[in-house]
Structure formats: structure tokens, C-alpha cells
Amino acid sequence: GPVAETFRVIQGAMSDEHVRATQGVFQFELSGDGGGTWYIDLKSKGGSAGFGKAPVPADVVMSMASADFVRMFT
């Protein structure tokens, strides 16, 4: 779905430079289609993004509708 595709694109765009510049872990609690817990880890080496909780504790947790998340990142 659109949420999974958005996270796939985010994962593919990550670089060590993004990790060095950001140093943050973001968790998204999404409701609606494709909802659930998702994360973007821009703190661990190489970065990562995907479904579930981040491998390290989140610095920021955002709750929103999945459609709003997709709009925010597109």
C-alpha cells in the first residue's frame, strides 16, 4: 500500500550523511489503511526504516492518519 511504499522510498534514500546530520529516531503510530507502528532510524549506522518499533528507542513519536503521513512525505 501507499504507507509501505513511502517507507520503501525513504529506506532507499537514506545515507550515512543523513544519519550524521539528523541523529534522531522517529516512530509513527498510524491509523487507517496501512497503519500500525512504523519507524525511521536516522541515528544508527546506515539508518533504517520499516514496520514495527525501531531497533533503538524513539526520540520522537508521532500519531496521525496513514493518509496524512503519505501526504506529508510526498
Side-chain angles (χ1 to χ4, degrees):
V3 171
E5 177 63 14
T6 301
F7 276 95
R8 186 191 67 73
V9 170
I10 291 168
Q11 175 69 49
M14 286 186 181
S15 70
D16 286 334
E17 184 172 326
H18 290 124
V19 172
R20 276 191 302 277
T22 306
Q23 287 297 297
V25 178
F26 305 89
Q27 181 173 309
F28 299 88
E29 299 295 339
L30 304 179
S31 59
D33 285 348
T37 300
W38 295 80
Y39 73 92
I40 300 172
D41 177 357
L42 290 170
K43 188 178 269 186
S44 303
K45 182 167 175 46
S48 62
F51 185 75
K53 291 198 174 209
V56 296
D59 297 300
V60 176
V61 178
M62 293 184 231
S63 298
M64 65 183 69
S66 58
D68 291 338
F69 171 84
V70 171
R71 279 194 296 272
M72 183 171 79
F73 278 88
T74 55

